[in-house]
Amino acid sequence: MIECLYDHVISDSTVEGTIPFNAIKCLYDLVAAFAPTAMEKEVAECIVHQIENLNFPCKTRIDSLGNLTIEPLSNSAPKIMLAAPIDQCSFPIIAAPNANQVRFAILGNVQPQDLPGNTVRFSNGAEGIIRVSDNSVSSVNRSDELLISLTEKSPFPQPGDRAILTGPFSVQKGVLSAPAMEGRLASWVFLSLMGKESIKKQEVLFAFCAHGVGGGRGCQVIAQTKQPQIAIGLDIEPIASTSPIHMGNGPVLRWRDENTISHPGLVRLAVKTAKEENIPLQISPISLGKANISGVHASGTNCAVLSLSIPVQKAYTPQAFCSLEDCHFASCLLEKIIDRLL
């Protein structure tokens, strides 16, 4: 289980009072869900439950791939799709050398050198600690140099089972520390949008995408099926030590990454909207990796794309950090952009 510290939140966050539901409890529930790639059912059901609490008028559907789509009650095709990933990095089990150790692969952007000493949990309830397999190894560069030692009395996982990183969940002075941010933060922002009356009146498709790890396969399927004219993606922005992007300075406009180019017209609209609405916005020259929204480019649809992200320090680790104020400003920016597009 993820240790929950939300009862000790210091109440000075900008987010408080702007979201019409228990925001921190909702965020904890999202982070605590077990949802590695191709096993997203638990977090999808959690999102549906939160939407029901919001009384958001919509049609919900979970497809065979695990994608969750939230559509307007009207039969007209939504012009705009908002896309967020819901899966998280994980460790598929590939071998069991003895009765209490397993070897694993890495699915996602986790770096092997960040893993020794961290705790994990499996889909069958087993728990373990990641260790270096050979103590003589001075530095870890590959997953085959690691193994998971199971804790006492844990049920034994089988090859094909998945493990995910665990860590404490805390919010203090407006800063969130938690694991699994790559597949939860954007979903939380979208839920905050659904609580706004202006969004309830708009014809918007919310796409909570499975298979986000590795380039947005779930997003690709939804774009092919729903054929939106405009797709706006929200993801996380890992902050490197040399990055010009900083936590607490607002969301990030990604004009380009390894597989996505934001539409120039939408880029201009986002920048103009942020300036006129006094919403802080950072611009990333070239982002590493592939955002979840990159799946739209692979879908073959004639769809304009805008890629936004939330800065995260120590991304893809059990103790990633982000500013809740950045999440708040991302929600505000999306609301204003949608108002201007529709």
Side-chain angles (χ1 to χ4, degrees), residues 34 91 93 102 120-128 148-150 155 157-158 161-164:
F34 186 94
F91 312 111
I93 303 308
V102 294
V120 298
R121 64 184 174 112
F122 295 83
S123 51
N124 69 345
E127 297 178 343
I148 298 173
S149 295
L150 300 177
Q158 300 299 318
D161 285 347
R162 304 282 188 87
I164 61 171

Side-chain angles (χ1 to χ4, degrees), residues 15 17-21 54-57 188-202 206 279 327-336 338-339:
V15 176
T18 66
I19 302 175
F21 60 102
L54 288 170
N55 295 317
F56 187 76
W188 186 62
V189 171
F190 283 6
L191 286 169
S192 78
L193 268 178
M194 292 181 183
K196 299 183 178 184
E197 291 302 320
S198 62
I199 297 299
K200 291 181 179 180
K201 300 173 184 177
Q202 305 285 18
F206 287 88
I279 299 171
C327 299
H328 167 68
F329 285 127
S331 176
C332 293
L333 181 61
L334 285 169
E335 180 186 16
K336 299 302 181 183
I338 291 169
D339 284 344

Side-chain angles (χ1 to χ4, degrees), residues 20-72:
F21 60 102
N22 188 335
I24 303 302
K25 175 61 167 62
C26 170
L27 181 54
Y28 169 75
D29 289 343
L30 292 173
V31 169
F34 186 94
T37 304
M39 300 175 67
E40 297 92 348
K41 182 180 179 181
E42 186 174 324
V43 73
E45 290 177 345
C46 177
I47 293 169
V48 170
H49 175 69
Q50 297 294 343
I51 292 171
E52 291 171 349
N53 290 340
L54 288 170
N55 295 317
F56 187 76
C58 63
K59 296 178 288 188
T60 64
R61 178 175 182 267
I62 300 177
D63 65 20
S64 58
L65 193 64
N67 295 309
L68 168 63
T69 52
I70 310 298
E71 298 184 69

Side-chain angles (χ1 to χ4, degrees), residues 15-302:
V15 176
E16 290 193 11
T18 66
I19 302 175
F21 60 102
N22 188 335
I24 303 302
K25 175 61 167 62
C26 170
L27 181 54
Y28 169 75
D29 289 343
L30 292 173
V31 169
F34 186 94
T37 304
M39 300 175 67
E40 297 92 348
K41 182 180 179 181
E42 186 174 324
V43 73
E45 290 177 345
C46 177
I47 293 169
V48 170
H49 175 69
Q50 297 294 343
I51 292 171
E52 291 171 349
N53 290 340
L54 288 170
N55 295 317
F56 187 76
C58 63
K59 296 178 288 188
T60 64
R61 178 175 182 267
I62 300 177
D63 65 20
S64 58
L65 193 64
N67 295 309
L68 168 63
T69 52
I70 310 298
E71 298 184 69
L73 292 175
S74 66
N75 292 323
S76 59
K79 173 184 175 183
I80 299 174
M81 177 177 82
L82 299 184
I86 59 173
D87 58 331
Q88 64 195 110
C89 300
S90 61
F91 312 111
I93 303 308
I94 58 176
N98 58 50
N100 62 357
Q101 294 180 333
V102 294
R103 294 195 179 275
F104 60 92
I106 297 176
L107 185 57
N109 294 324
V110 180
Q111 300 302 310
Q113 59 267 27
D114 293 333
L115 292 176
N118 287 309
T119 58
V120 298
R121 64 184 174 112
F122 295 83
S123 51
N124 69 345
E127 297 178 343
I129 300 174
I130 299 177
R131 303 186 188 281
V132 178
S133 57
D134 184 351
N135 292 329
S136 66
V137 174
S138 59
S139 63
V140 175
N141 299 302
R142 306 187 312 271
S143 61
D144 60 6
E145 296 173 327
L146 300 168
L147 52 79
I148 298 173
S149 295
L150 300 177
T151 57
E152 188 176 355
K153 298 182 180 179
S154 279
F156 196 80
Q158 300 299 318
D161 285 347
R162 304 282 188 87
I164 61 171
L165 291 170
T166 62
F169 176 100
S170 68
V171 181
Q172 295 187 12
K173 296 187 177 180
V175 175
L176 166 69
S177 172
M181 282 197 198
E182 66 272 15
R184 306 294 189 272
L185 212 52
S187 298
W188 186 62
V189 171
F190 283 6
L191 286 169
S192 78
L193 268 178
M194 292 181 183
K196 299 183 178 184
E197 291 302 320
S198 62
I199 297 299
K200 291 181 179 180
K201 300 173 184 177
Q202 305 285 18
E203 299 286 314
V204 176
L205 166 67
F206 287 88
F208 296 92
C209 307
H211 293 255
V213 170
R217 288 182 293 275
C219 187
Q220 176 181 345
V221 169
I222 297 173
Q224 289 172 333
T225 304
K226 301 300 181 181
Q227 298 283 311
Q229 298 176 34
I230 296 170
I232 303 175
L234 185 63
D235 221 306
I236 66 166
E237 184 77 16
I239 304 175
S241 58
T242 58
S243 173
I245 303 301
H246 299 284
M247 194 178 81
N249 287 1
V252 178
L253 192 158
R254 286 178 152 208
W255 76 269
R256 178 186 173 190
D257 64 25
E258 292 180 14
N259 206 36
T260 313
I261 299 177
S262 290
H263 189 279
L266 292 176
V267 169
R268 288 192 292 270
L269 174 64
V271 172
K272 181 181 179 182
T273 301
K275 183 177 181 180
E276 292 178 352
E277 300 291 342
N278 294 316
I279 299 171
L281 178 65
Q282 305 179 76
I283 299 179
S284 176
I286 299 179
S287 299
L288 299 177
K290 299 177 182 178
N292 174 64
I293 198 67
S294 68
V296 174
H297 277 322
S299 68
T301 59
N302 185 22

